[in-house]
Amino acid sequence: MSKIEELAHAVEIGKSKLVPGLVQEALDEGNAPIDILNKGMIDAMAIVGDKFKRNEIFVPEMLIAAKAMKKGVEVLKPYLAGDNASKVGKMAMGTVAGDLHDIGKNLVIMMIESTGYEVVDLGIDVPVEKFLEAANDPEITVIGVSALLTTTMPAMQETVAALNKHPRRSEFKIMVGGAPITQAFANEIGADVYTEDAASAGQAAKALAAK
Ligand code: B1M
């Protein structure tokens, strides 16, 4: 079993204490940080999700796998994030009301910070009002909205609709994403940018800053 496979298995079964060491060992072996993230952790979470769907595991197991992944990401962060010496913009980002998933949001924040943005993390289960309040900040140029559940897609729609009526609307862009979100849905609700993963979110934010 390769180190990345070992890591993926440890994330899948929620071995929080083992995961940071395995990430470090995978780095020491010369594996690319992005492969460690994708194959060693994100793929493992997909397996966890599939097992949950088949009723082979339940919420507590999903939660401990998520905790294990977070520990691994902490070790990986300096290798993925890079040096963001010069500030290119300020972004606020949160997971919509009713949605408690934050691993994807945190990865997106990490990748966007690495492009030079200062990111205000609004957290999870963020009500529309909190997004609107964040948009009042005159420095904010991008607002990121994440949703992981089909049942919280309407909350994303509400959030984007409210942001679209904000008096500063011409001064910020709205980025959306999350597993159930598509380009078609993003267009339908009036968001400016949809990206499917953290790496492309970072690239999109960088492109916005360059405009
Ligand atoms: Co939840 N959960 N969960 N869960 N959970 C999913 C999402 C699910 C697909 C599992 C499944 O059934 N296969 C399913 C949703 C089904 C659906 O809606 N179609 C589900 C469910 C049903 C639920 C509950 C309802 C279960 C229950 O209680 N019965 C419940 C809901 C709670 C709530 O939010 N109100 C629930 C709870 C939880 C935990 C709390 C236990 C835990 C979350 C812990 C945490 O986040 N701190 C959890 C977990 C861990 C998962 C899975 C297994 C993993 C999610 C994850 O972190 N993935 C997930 C299954 C899966 O994803 N396959 C599942 C890794 C992460 C890196 O990917 O978040 O997709 P992701 O982020 C990606 C992209 O989506 C994108 O970039 C990220 C990085 O590449 N992205 C953006 C995300 N936001 C973006 C924003 C952008 C751009 C890109 O721009 C702004």
Side-chain angles (χ1 to χ4, degrees):
M1 199 190 265
S2 74
K3 197 55 71 186
I4 288 188
E5 285 167 347
E6 223 179 297
L7 169 64
H9 183 63
V11 169
E12 192 190 318
I13 60 173
K15 293 281 180 199
S16 289
K17 287 195 181 138
L18 284 183
V19 164
L22 288 169
V23 171
Q24 191 57 56
E25 285 170 34
L27 285 166
D28 295 344
E29 272 186 4
N31 291 288
I34 196 74
D35 285 343
I36 300 175
L37 177 69
N38 287 333
K39 298 180 195 154
M41 293 193 272
I42 295 184
D43 286 359
M45 293 308 279
I47 295 172
V48 170
D50 290 344
K51 285 190 168 173
F52 174 77
K53 211 155 69 182
R54 294 196 299 266
N55 290 323
E56 290 171 19
I57 61 165
F58 301 95
V59 171
E61 285 93 341
M62 275 210 289
L63 202 53
I64 58 166
K67 278 190 184 148
M69 172 158 175
K70 281 188 179 181
K71 292 275 176 201
V73 171
E74 276 169 29
V75 178
L76 211 51
K77 189 172 175 176
Y79 298 87
L80 286 168
D83 183 17
N84 55 356
S86 55
K87 184 170 154 182
V88 300
K90 188 170 176 185
M91 173 173 183
M93 166 138 179
T95 305
V96 296
D99 202 321
L100 305 177
H101 296 85
D102 70 352
I103 295 179
K105 166 186 70 66
N106 296 342
L107 286 177
V108 170
I109 289 179
M110 193 171 91
M111 296 311 278
I112 289 180
E113 278 177 343
S114 78
T115 68
Y117 276 84
E118 175 188 350
V119 184
V120 182
D121 185 354
L122 302 175
I124 52 173
D125 191 14
V126 180
V128 174
E129 298 71 34
K130 202 167 164 187
F131 280 103
L132 292 174
E133 210 179 290
N136 289 336
D137 179 341
E139 283 188 68
I140 291 282
T141 50
V142 184
I143 305 231
V145 188
S146 177
L148 255 291
L149 299 168
T150 45
T151 51
T152 55
M153 288 169 73
M156 176 178 274
Q157 182 160 19
E158 265 176 53
T159 304
V160 173
L163 285 169
N164 273 331
K165 292 192 193 124
H166 194 280
R168 284 192 64 249
R169 178 63 180 100
S170 59
E171 294 162 57
F172 62 81
K173 297 287 183 200
I174 305 173
M175 283 179 67
V176 296
I181 310 305
T182 59
Q183 182 67 60
F185 182 71
N187 295 345
E188 187 190 318
I189 65 175
D192 300 307
V193 181
Y194 160 76
T195 56
E196 80 169 338
D197 58 29
S200 47
Q203 285 159 5
K206 198 173 168 182
L208 287 177
K211 277 186 187 162

